[in-house]
């Protein structure tokens, strides 16, 4: 896949969405700095020059609309593998979109897609990795970390190349199988969302439950206090620990 580097952009995700809307072909876009980096749930993603990795993929997957959100989980698996390969650091996955080290967030994933004739026209999937930060603003200092703070010494280009390589490998399997089944076991072995008391935050609805891991549809299974098992789809949901971020 074509890999393009640029110095500065509002958001690599937004730029690829613009390109996709005018017929852009699959590619990777990496920026040194983002002026309006976007996070999940309408948040901003602070993207100072050179501190983080700001990278997005434009994809045109021939899959059903329901399967498109699984690409975020695939990116999580790929980023876990790539970070390990390039830095030696072992991350964990926090369903659906975060990578964590010792309970603190080191990377986040953001996907956008548009539908045409009942099929995904394109999917843009972006990842932001905290690489070289040596401190964070007070509001997020307790929940955020960087690869450098976690003791990693690595070369930025190696990490970029590893992410592209790992993502392509996982993505090809996913597209071939059209299913998350082949990844479920691996995901559950890497996620912090197994056997943990969590708070599920949906728009207008918040409740506690015991998380059990993901199923073959990539949904998080939780056991409610009534013992009923509920499968949660990603979308506008966030899952937090009862006492903190995980
Ligand atoms: C999150 O909220 O955890 C998701 C953060 C995603 C940030 C990345 S950085 C590259 C890409 N471009 C953006 O504007 N956002 C994503």
């Amino acid at each position: 896949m074509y890999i393009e580097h640029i110095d500065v952009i509002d958001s690599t995700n937004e730029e690829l969405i613009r390109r996709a809307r005018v017929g852009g072909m699959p590619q990777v876009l990496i920026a040194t700095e983002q002026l309006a980096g976007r996070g999940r749930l309408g948040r901003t993603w602070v993207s100072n020059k050179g501190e983080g990795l700001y990278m997005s993929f434009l994809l045109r997957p021939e899959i059903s609309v329901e399967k498109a959100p699984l690409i975020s989980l695939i990116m999580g698996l790929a980023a876990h593998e790539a970070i390990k390969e390039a830095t030696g650091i072992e991350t964990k996955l926090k369903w659906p979109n975060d990578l964590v080290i010792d309970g603190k967030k080191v990377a986040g994933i953001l996907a956008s897609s548009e539908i045409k004739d009942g099929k995904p026209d394109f999917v843009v999937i972006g990842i932001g990795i905290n690489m070289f930060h040596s401190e964070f603003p007070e509001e997020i200092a307790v929940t955020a970390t960087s690869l450098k703070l976690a003791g990693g010494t690595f070369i930025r280009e190696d990490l970029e190349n590893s992410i592209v390589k790992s993502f392509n490998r996982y993505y090809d399997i996913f597209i071939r199988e059209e299913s998350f089944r082949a990844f479920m076991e691996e995901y559950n072995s890497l996620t912090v969302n197994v056997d943990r008391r969590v708070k599920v935050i949906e728009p207008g609805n918040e409740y506690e439950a015991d998380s059990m891991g993901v199923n073959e549809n990539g949904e998080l299974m939780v056991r409610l206090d009534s013992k009923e098992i509920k499968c949660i789809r990603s979308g506008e949901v966030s899952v937090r620990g009862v006492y903190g971020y995980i």
Side-chain angles (χ1 to χ4, degrees), residues 1-233:
M1 208 181 306
Y2 168 57
I3 304 174
E4 179 184 346
H5 286 85
I6 40 173
D7 283 338
V8 57
I9 193 84
D10 55 347
S11 147
T12 53
N13 267 34
E14 290 301 309
E15 174 63 11
L16 288 187
I17 291 170
R18 290 190 288 267
R19 292 185 189 184
R21 286 180 179 151
V22 294
M25 295 305 288
Q27 70 157 102
V28 180
L29 183 64
I30 302 171
T32 313
E33 179 182 7
Q34 295 186 122
L35 301 176
R38 293 188 46 199
R40 276 188 89 219
L41 311 173
R43 302 193 187 107
T44 53
W45 186 259
V46 176
S47 305
N48 296 334
K49 189 171 176 173
E51 265 186 346
L53 182 64
Y54 318 116
M55 177 187 238
S56 301
F57 291 67
L58 165 54
L59 307 165
R60 297 214 180 253
E62 295 192 6
I63 54 174
S64 61
V65 170
E66 309 80 67
K67 301 242 165 85
L70 292 169
I71 298 176
S72 289
L73 306 190
I74 296 294
M75 175 60 93
L77 287 168
H80 166 270
E81 179 180 84
I83 290 173
K84 191 169 174 193
E85 184 183 272
T87 73
I89 295 175
E90 187 77 52
T91 53
K92 290 259 179 196
L93 303 175
K94 179 175 170 287
W95 184 93
N97 290 60
D98 297 350
L99 283 92
V100 301
I101 300 172
D102 293 335
K104 291 183 168 191
K105 176 161 171 168
V106 70
I109 294 163
L110 178 70
S112 305
S113 59
E114 287 185 7
I115 299 165
K116 195 168 165 185
D117 302 328
K119 294 241 156 96
D121 181 28
F122 66 83
V123 173
V124 168
I125 178 115
I127 179 160
I129 303 180
N130 300 333
M131 292 191 296
F132 300 119
H133 305 61
S134 40
E135 55 185 13
F136 286 93
E138 208 179 308
E139 322 83 76
I140 58 169
V142 274
T143 55
T145 191
S146 71
L147 294 174
K148 182 179 158 194
L149 284 170
T153 44
F154 57 95
I155 298 169
R156 178 196 166 97
E157 287 73 24
D158 289 347
L159 182 59
E160 290 176 5
N161 293 334
S162 288
I163 303 257
V164 175
K165 188 183 79 181
S166 290
F167 180 76
N168 283 336
R169 191 177 71 74
Y170 277 98
Y171 180 70
D172 285 350
I173 302 172
F174 172 64
I175 294 298
R176 200 170 56 232
E177 308 262 322
E178 272 207 56
S179 157
F180 192 69
R181 191 179 309 215
F183 307 104
M184 186 181 96
E185 211 173 299
E186 186 185 356
Y187 196 96
N188 280 326
S189 73
L190 296 174
T191 184
V192 295
N193 302 105
V194 177
D195 292 336
R196 218 177 266 261
R197 189 75 179 158
V198 291
K199 195 193 285 177
V200 180
I201 306 162
E202 297 170 345
N205 189 22
E206 202 176 300
Y207 54 92
E208 283 188 17
D210 295 310
S211 63
M212 303 165 66
V214 300
N215 64 17
E216 62 180 51
N217 300 319
E219 298 160 336
L220 183 70
M221 294 182 294
V222 296
R223 192 182 301 103
L224 306 180
D225 293 341
S226 63
K227 302 281 178 262
E228 185 196 333
I229 301 211
K230 192 170 167 181
C231 300
I232 317 173
R233 311 209 97 204

